[in-house]
Amino acid sequence: MSIKIKAKIIVNKRLLESAAYLYCGENGMSRTSIQRPTAEEMNAMISHGVVSHDLKIMDEPFGYACYEHNRQVYDPDFFDTLLLKEAKNRKSILDLCCGGGATIVSLLQNGPDIIYGFDSNENQIELIEALVEEMNDVNCKIVAKVADAHHIPLERHSVDFVVCRVALQYLDTEQVLKEMYRVLYPNGKVFLLVHGSGYIFDYLFSRRGIFKTKLIRYAVQKLFYSSSSDHNFSRSQAHFLFTKEVKKKLKDAGFKDINVHTSKKWLKFGILPVYFAVTANI
């Protein structure tokens, strides 16, 4: 499936929703708010190479991108809405580890002047570039670039808002926070969405990962590398973070007015956050 076809699917609301529906079904994620694809839409997905004839997503990263685009743009949850609120009136934004561009597209409704989207995955950046070509009515400059989050390719005081969603736990946290601080204007703000200590339970049980051998291996790696001091900071060795840990590292990097945000929907056993957001100012 070509990048252009992927972009066309994302900008087509019904095909996007169809891909998100199938992805959620395969991964044990709630899809009660997503309309089931019609036979015509399913045939279109097969012809485009999105799904196989036995109705399985053929490109899992793209399936996840469709899920993110559909949720953030058309069915925002607590954290999606919080992000838009925190980014209001911010004119120059950096989406660090931007993935397939769902957050960039969502933030367009706030009317920023420029959004930088940096990610280490070249395929994701190519997808964003193709999306920009498909969206003809965008009044915001979008700069997508392959980049290392530990060495952000921007000058000091380049943006007034940095967002980093579900990526910080994969990185050298201290180095990345220092880089965020460096590129932010005075009075700039950072928004972090992070895997919390409840993530592993959600992944294994709510998403039925316990029944998949490769996900059990992944979970063991997460548990091991969460408690180990020997991190190589790769996605295959992802770990979760604790709220106190993130707050301390933000303070050490120079941030102030640090606030933690949680959602009851995303708490396991009422206390363990699957995700939590942290906002802080320069």
Side-chain angles (χ1 to χ4, degrees):
M1 178 173 33
S2 72
I3 290 292
K4 287 188 176 181
I5 291 295
K6 290 180 179 180
K8 288 182 181 295
I9 289 168
I10 288 175
V11 299
N12 182 313
K13 185 176 184 296
R14 279 303 303 139
L15 292 183
L16 173 66
E17 193 171 27
S18 297
Y21 181 92
L22 293 171
Y23 177 84
C24 289
E26 289 181 22
N27 289 275
M29 301 164 70
S30 174
R31 56 185 183 183
T32 54
S33 62
I34 307 177
Q35 185 177 334
R36 185 184 182 91
T38 64
E40 182 180 358
E41 289 161 349
M42 197 66 79
N43 287 333
M45 299 288 281
I46 293 172
S47 67
H48 286 312
V50 180
V51 299
S52 61
H53 286 280
D54 58 351
L55 306 183
K56 300 293 184 183
I57 292 285
M58 297 183 68
D59 184 337
E60 189 167 344
F62 178 63
Y64 177 72
C66 289
Y67 161 72
E68 282 290 326
H69 275 274
N70 185 73
R71 194 200 70 246
Q72 290 193 46
V73 177
Y74 299 112
D75 188 26
D77 68 8
F78 171 82
F79 294 114
D80 301 324
T81 304
L82 177 65
L83 171 59
L84 291 174
K85 177 183 176 182
E86 296 293 334
K88 189 176 181 180
N89 298 323
R90 301 288 177 168
K91 294 302 180 181
S92 53
I93 297 173
L94 167 60
D95 183 4
L96 194 61
C97 304
C98 60
T103 297
I104 293 173
V105 175
S106 176
L107 285 169
L108 290 175
Q109 61 191 288
N110 277 7
D113 294 329
I114 185 168
I115 302 177
Y116 297 94
F118 295 163
D119 198 278
S120 61
N121 188 317
E122 183 178 359
N123 292 332
Q124 301 284 39
I125 296 303
E126 289 178 354
L127 177 57
I128 294 171
E129 291 172 340
L131 280 172
V132 172
E133 291 182 6
E134 286 293 324
M135 299 184 297
N136 300 318
D137 56 346
V138 176
N139 296 318
C140 169
K141 183 177 181 180
I142 298 174
V143 179
K145 187 173 183 178
V146 177
D148 180 358
H150 302 93
H151 304 284
I152 300 173
L154 291 174
E155 299 294 326
R156 188 167 180 259
H157 299 168
S158 292
V159 296
D160 59 5
F161 190 84
V162 174
V163 53
C164 182
R165 297 181 61 130
V166 293
L168 191 66
Q169 65 279 348
Y170 300 132
L171 306 169
D172 182 339
T173 307
E174 291 87 347
Q175 174 63 21
V176 172
L177 292 180
K178 287 178 183 178
E179 280 290 277
M180 290 180 181
Y181 189 92
R182 180 182 65 80
V183 302
L184 277 166
Y185 291 142
N187 299 317
K189 176 174 281 190
V190 66
F191 178 100
L192 308 172
L193 185 62
V194 184
H195 288 169
S197 54
Y199 183 80
I200 187 63
F201 298 99
D202 182 74
Y203 206 81
L204 284 176
F205 299 103
S206 298
R207 303 189 191 186
R208 302 198 300 268
I210 196 168
F211 300 112
K212 301 178 182 180
T213 303
K214 68 176 182 179
L215 297 187
I216 293 174
R217 273 201 309 271
Y218 174 74
V220 171
Q221 287 178 325
K222 286 180 71 66
L223 288 173
F224 174 75
Y225 283 97
S226 292
S227 59
S228 169
S229 60
D230 181 19
H231 301 293
N232 291 322
F233 307 109
S234 69
R235 287 182 180 270
S236 63
Q237 298 168 351
H239 65 295
F240 60 81
L241 299 174
F242 294 100
T243 56
K244 289 183 179 179
E245 176 185 7
V246 177
K247 289 175 67 175
K248 181 182 185 303
K249 290 181 178 181
L250 278 164
K251 184 177 180 180
D252 291 345
F255 289 92
K256 60 183 181 181
D257 304 325
I258 303 167
N259 291 291
V260 175
H261 310 265
T262 59
S263 166
K264 288 183 179 179
K265 174 184 175 182
W266 292 110
L267 290 177
K268 282 297 174 186
F269 316 117
I271 55 172
L272 301 179
V274 177
Y275 305 101
F276 64 90
V278 185
T279 55
N281 298 327
I282 292 292

